[in-house]
Amino acid sequence: MVMYPTRYHRPKSLEEALKLHSDNEEASYLSGGHTLLPALKQRLARPSDLIDLAVLPDLRGIKLEKNVLSIGATTTHAEVATSLVVRKAIPALAGMVGSIGDRHVRNRGTIGGSVANNDPAADYPSAVLGLGATVITDRRRIAADDFFVALYETTLEPGEIITRIDFPVPDQAGYAKFRSAASRYAVAAVFVAKFGSAARAAVTGAGSAGVFRLRDLEEALTRDFGPAVVAQCKVDPAMMMEDLAGSSEYRANLVLVMARRALQHLGEACSYK
């Protein structure tokens, strides 16, 4: 199927990218392109201009400073997964990213594109929310709890660009997902993290409203950060999505199974199908 006509731009700076977007009302930013390009091919999107952010070196890179791991928005999944800095600081994050898609997807997809798109079954949103990260844009700093709104919806304003994401380094963290054998997207996945006496737990792939924090589990983990406490928790099936991959009741149970496995394999990321 033929795509609609569009103009492609390779800006040399963030400022040029922002100006291109402001000068073209129907423009779209392009990063990894794993959602936008299929939408173009299926004629579901019709931007007048594509502004390629992946060519901007200032939006790429990984660094650790004062117990905060900063990852540039156009850093690819492959770069994050293989980074010795990430593997040492937050090994569960590196493992999670290594489970995304396949080698081709990881070598093209970017952290900024994934987080901005907020696919309800994507891996990265659970890490951003589970670690209490901060999303940095060209305009402001947005706490993870304020960033995700609903399916494919965030608090990003028109034309706003994610420049990097800052992850606080936890004392412990783990991730487990049950993935679709075909797409490798999460049918249900849980990212858990411990910061001192506090705990966070974020679920992706299962919620009808997208990624969300599992407060019941967080309260239990604050008392005892281990797999045994999962038995004390419940997940409301009414909060779960239902599709060919499973019923809402199935997903509610699967969330708890993945939470238990994430806690059994702290410092790792486990993927099942």
Side-chain angles (χ1 to χ4, degrees):
M1 185 174 288
V2 179
M3 296 188 294
Y4 292 110
T6 186
R7 292 182 293 271
Y8 172 75
H9 303 273
R10 292 173 61 90
K12 294 181 174 60
S13 66
L14 179 62
E15 292 71 22
E16 183 182 349
L18 292 167
K19 186 175 188 307
L20 283 166
H21 194 280
S22 65
D23 290 346
N24 299 279
E25 292 185 3
E26 300 301 321
S28 291
Y29 293 125
L30 175 68
S31 190
H34 286 118
T35 297
L36 180 56
L37 293 181
L40 287 169
K41 291 177 181 178
Q42 296 174 43
R43 302 173 74 86
L44 298 174
R46 190 178 183 177
S48 62
D49 299 76
L50 288 178
I51 304 165
D52 195 345
L53 302 179
V55 301
L56 299 177
D58 291 345
L59 300 188
R60 204 180 200 112
I62 299 168
K63 66 179 180 179
L64 179 66
E65 290 185 355
K66 297 181 179 179
N67 223 33
V68 174
L69 179 68
S70 297
I71 304 179
T74 61
T75 307
T76 66
H77 306 326
E79 290 170 327
V80 176
T82 59
S83 166
L84 295 179
V85 174
V86 179
R87 288 183 174 186
K88 182 177 180 180
I90 315 178
L93 177 62
M96 183 207 76
V97 180
S99 77
I100 295 175
D102 55 26
R103 184 175 299 177
H104 305 289
V105 169
R106 292 192 294 274
N107 276 287
R108 177 63 190 174
T110 65
I111 180 175
S114 176
V115 173
N117 187 49
N118 191 22
D119 188 295
D123 297 82
Y124 257 123
S126 68
V128 172
L129 192 57
L131 288 166
T134 301
V135 180
I136 316 297
T137 76
D138 64 295
R139 306 174 191 179
R140 53 187 171 144
R141 301 171 61 90
I142 311 171
D145 288 322
D146 301 323
F147 183 79
F148 301 104
V149 177
L151 305 180
Y152 298 104
E153 184 180 354
T154 70
T155 56
L156 288 174
E157 298 170 351
E160 190 171 10
I161 296 176
I162 295 176
T163 58
R164 74 174 193 271
I165 298 175
D166 288 351
F167 295 91
V169 177
D171 299 327
Q172 292 179 292
Y175 180 74
K177 76 172 174 180
F178 186 87
R179 69 177 190 265
S180 163
S183 68
R184 298 177 69 90
Y185 272 104
V187 176
V190 180
F191 198 106
V192 295
K194 183 177 186 291
F195 298 89
S197 60
R200 294 176 70 98
V203 178
T204 190
S208 57
V211 65
F212 67 96
R213 288 175 66 184
L214 194 54
R215 303 285 184 170
D216 192 33
L217 177 59
E218 290 180 346
E219 292 177 7
L221 290 175
T222 299
R223 297 189 296 270
D224 180 10
F225 197 79
V229 301
V230 176
Q232 306 169 19
C233 304
K234 294 182 179 179
V235 176
D236 185 358
M239 297 174 57
M240 301 293 102
M241 68 171 67
E242 186 164 335
D243 56 21
L244 292 175
S247 66
S248 57
E249 290 79 9
Y250 171 78
R251 271 195 167 90
N253 179 69
L254 192 57
V255 165
L256 295 178
V257 173
M258 291 301 105
R260 186 180 302 109
R261 291 183 179 179
L263 289 159
Q264 288 170 337
H265 300 280
L266 292 172
E268 302 176 21
C270 305
S271 186
Y272 308 88
K273 64 178 180 179

